[in-house]
């Protein structure tokens, strides 16, 4: 409860909206195009972005690169990296390895908030990278360091300073494998931009995705490749994706699911084996009831024999797909496994499968297709009416509308035959 609240002189008076300066919210490109793409043009002075990801995914590497690019790009502005995780000499070694040393790139190893503010006073940077927000504590907070309440208090203080001084700020936030117990989720409403840094330990591909963006769209993805000497933006990651699928194994099909507004490419896989006893249906990352329905439709409407065979269906990399829009890809993967015929590796499929075998419409088809095209896929099987070209939009990908499961299977085989033909000549 609040008692004795009285008015004080405001820090800045309210103004007619037309008189408010708009330049303060202008993006400054970081010089890392794949990141700028996600940010909607760059970092905003006074804006605070949170880069969240699992340990080892490459957050420190990416941000050291960003700080270096910033220093090199803006002669009037300094970049300050504050590391609470590594010693200054460790960060320096990393910078040497990456070739990112620069006169205007400043570095401090610090874990105390007041000392961080002291560094800001001394350096007066245009860009602050704080790695990580969980390692910074403050004796001024009445909560114990390490807890979510404490991290939140530290973040609020940093956001206030960034806004007041117009410092473009990037905070690193660690998330744990099971999704953010360490705090970033609890910080999302405090900051202007939330970026998720994703990537599989066994692959060098990394993706940065905006989950929230007060300064731009939140549906862009930035692709990077992590290598020994640092990190490199992948403006065109298609090669990487096509490489991964180059063997064209029967039983896999890629789909595009939506997470909120965000399209996400996901591979579905299936294995069909002769059964020992009652047929088994095993799923991982997919909905079991949904799979049973797709199998029944495949058997009854597309004459794929499954009732006396074991069916395994899974997603890759632990992704969970609950969306009916993935039905078509799951059906194609299972049919492909059952008939031992691969699905073309550059093809994606989106569509809900109905009990009559019909392929039903999905939401946001153009956005899904744009993402697939952006990530290097060349062909898409979609429900009738989902071709963006019918609405005058360029999908950037060959779109094949399929009314039902049978036509989807035929179209997949046809595309494959067409693709193989030049090689046979
Ligand atoms: N000294 C090093 N030599 C070679 N590779 C390294 C070194 N330090 C880190 N890496 C590689 O860079 C990856 C990203 O590391 P880092 O940027 O520190 O991740 P994060 O900050 O997200 O925890 C690591 O997974 C590791 O493979
Ligand atoms: Mg790190």
């Amino acid at each position: 409860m609040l008692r004795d609240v009285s008015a004080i002189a405001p820090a800045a008076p309210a103004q007619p909206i037309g008189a408010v300066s708009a330049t303060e919210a202008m993006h400054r490109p970081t010089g890392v195009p794949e990141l700028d793409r996600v940010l909607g043009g760059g970092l905003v002075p006074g804006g605070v972005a949170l880069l969240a990801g699992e340990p080892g995914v490459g957050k420190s590497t990416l941000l050291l690169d960003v700080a270096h690019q910033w220093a090199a790009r803006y002669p009037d502005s300094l970049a300050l990296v504050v590391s609470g995780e590594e010693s200054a000499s460790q960060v320096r070694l990393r910078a040497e390895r990456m070739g990112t040393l620069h006169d205007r790139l400043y570095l401090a190893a610090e874990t105390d908030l007041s000392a961080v503010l002291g560094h800001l006073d001394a350096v007066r940077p245009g860009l602050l990278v704080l790695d990580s927000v969980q390692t910074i504590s403050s004796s001024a907070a009445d909560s114990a360091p390490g807890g979510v309440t404490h991290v939140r208090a530290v973040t609020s203080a940093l956001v206030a300073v960034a806004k007041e001084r117009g410092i473009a700020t990037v905070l690193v936030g660690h998330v744990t494998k099971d999704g953010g117990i360490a705090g970033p989720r609890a910080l999302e409403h405090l900051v202007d931009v939330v970026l998720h840094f994703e990537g599989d330990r066994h692959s060098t591909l990394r993706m940065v995705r905006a989950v929230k963006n007060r300064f731009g769209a939140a549906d862009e993805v930035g692709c990077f490749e992590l290598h020994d000497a640092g990190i490199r933006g992948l403006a065109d990651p298609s090669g990487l994706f096509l490489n991964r699928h180059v063997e064209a194994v029967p039983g896999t099909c890629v789909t595009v699911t939506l997470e909120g507004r965000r399209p996400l490419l996901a591979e579905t896989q299936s294995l069909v084996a002769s059964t020992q006893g009652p047929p088994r249906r095993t799923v991982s990352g997919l909905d079991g009831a949904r799979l049973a329905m797709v199998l029944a439709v495949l058997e009854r409407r597309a004459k794929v024999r499954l009732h006396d065979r074991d069916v395994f269906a899974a997603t890759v990399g632990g992704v969970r797909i609950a969306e009916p829009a993935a039905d078509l890809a799951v059906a194609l993967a299972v049919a492909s496994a059952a008939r031992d015929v691969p699905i073309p590796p550059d093809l994606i499929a989106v569509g809900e499968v109905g009990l009559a075998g019909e392929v039903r419409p999905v939401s946001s088809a153009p956005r899904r297709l744009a993402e697939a095209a952006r990530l290097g896929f060349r062909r898409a099987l979609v429900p009738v009416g989902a071709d963006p070209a019918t609405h005058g939009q360029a999908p950037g990908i060959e779109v094949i509308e399929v009314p039902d499961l049978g036509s989807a299977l035929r179209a997949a085989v046809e595309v494959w035959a067409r693709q193989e033909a030049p090689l046979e000549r």
Side-chain angles (χ1 to χ4, degrees):
M1 209 171 72
L2 296 174
R3 264 172 287 135
D4 299 332
V5 182
S6 53
I8 56 156
Q15 291 175 298
I17 192 163
V20 175
S21 157
T23 52
E24 276 166 29
M26 277 202 337
H27 291 105
R28 295 194 97 183
T30 61
V32 178
E34 282 298 302
L35 187 66
D36 290 341
R37 177 203 289 274
V38 182
L39 291 168
L43 290 167
V44 173
V48 178
L50 177 71
L51 180 69
E54 289 174 22
V57 75
K59 301 179 295 298
S60 306
T61 306
L62 174 65
L63 293 178
L64 196 54
D65 194 29
V66 168
H68 170 248
Q69 295 290 349
W70 182 281
R73 194 181 180 106
Y74 299 110
D76 59 336
S77 181
L78 299 178
L80 172 63
V81 172
V82 174
S83 178
E85 309 227 322
E86 292 164 280
S87 70
S89 58
Q90 262 176 309
V91 180
R92 193 225 143 101
L93 281 175
R94 185 200 291 269
E96 258 172 42
R97 187 161 50 88
M98 292 170 59
T100 55
L101 294 176
H102 198 282
D103 287 349
R104 284 193 299 279
L105 171 51
Y106 280 61
L107 181 60
E110 205 58 70
T111 55
D112 182 78
L113 181 63
S114 303
V116 173
L117 300 184
H119 286 301
L120 290 178
D121 281 341
V123 178
R124 307 201 149 273
L127 170 71
L128 168 68
V129 169
L130 191 85
D131 186 1
S132 65
V133 69
Q134 279 112 340
T135 56
I136 305 296
S137 61
S138 172
S139 50
D142 47 17
S143 50
V148 171
T149 323
H150 197 90
V151 177
R152 224 181 295 176
V154 166
T155 306
S156 302
L158 287 164
V159 168
V161 172
K163 293 244 179 305
E164 185 195 312
R165 305 192 188 178
I167 306 172
T169 302
V170 186
L171 307 177
V172 170
H174 282 302
V175 291
T176 49
K177 198 92 193 163
D178 51 354
I181 201 85
R185 294 241 64 149
L187 306 179
E188 288 186 356
H189 64 286
L190 296 177
V191 297
D192 301 303
V193 178
V194 179
L195 305 175
H196 279 190
F197 200 158
E198 300 165 1
D200 193 85
R201 258 176 205 288
H202 308 291
S203 140
T204 57
L205 181 74
R206 296 289 182 271
M207 290 201 201
V208 175
R209 208 176 267 287
V211 181
K212 159 180 172 176
N213 192 352
R214 283 186 187 148
F215 309 125
D219 51 6
E220 269 289 6
V221 183
C223 296
F224 296 88
E225 187 183 20
L226 197 65
H227 52 93
D228 285 348
I231 193 160
R232 186 169 49 224
L234 286 171
D236 180 15
S238 62
L240 238 143
F241 269 79
L242 293 177
N243 254 340
R244 224 185 71 201
H245 296 275
V246 86
E247 309 99 49
V249 199
T252 77
C253 183
V254 178
T255 189
V256 191
T257 70
L258 276 188
E259 264 190 70
R261 270 177 54 84
R262 294 173 295 138
L264 175 79
L265 271 103
E267 184 173 326
T268 61
Q269 297 194 330
S270 177
L271 188 69
V272 174
S274 51
T275 196
Q276 315 287 333
R280 288 199 293 162
R281 274 82 181 96
T282 309
V283 289
S284 159
L286 293 163
D287 182 58
R290 200 87 213 155
L291 177 73
M293 195 274 294
V294 168
L295 297 184
V297 176
L298 268 174
E299 175 118 31
R300 291 300 304 260
R301 310 285 179 199
K303 306 283 173 278
V304 180
R305 197 177 120 193
L306 296 166
H307 66 272
D308 56 353
R309 301 162 94 181
D310 288 340
V311 177
F312 303 85
T315 60
V316 172
V319 183
R320 265 212 66 80
I321 310 178
E323 227 199 350
D327 288 353
L328 186 58
V330 173
L332 286 170
V334 172
S336 159
R339 293 184 170 161
D340 206 27
V341 177
I343 301 293
D346 63 353
L347 180 138
I348 61 118
V350 290
E352 178 179 345
V353 171
L355 287 178
E358 82 277 22
V359 175
R360 302 171 52 81
V362 298
S363 63
S364 307
R367 199 174 312 132
R368 294 178 203 253
L369 295 175
E371 174 76 341
R374 207 187 93 63
L375 293 181
F377 288 83
R378 289 286 154 261
R379 288 166 188 82
L381 298 186
V382 302
V384 172
D387 186 348
T390 53
H391 311 288
Q393 291 169 272
I397 186 168
E398 183 189 342
V399 179
I400 305 162
E401 292 187 347
V402 287
D404 52 50
L405 209 44
S407 7
L409 292 177
R410 279 191 299 278
V413 172
E414 225 165 78
V415 164
W416 196 218
R418 227 187 322 144
Q419 221 170 29
E420 291 286 273
L423 296 174
E424 287 165 11
R425 258 187 267 133

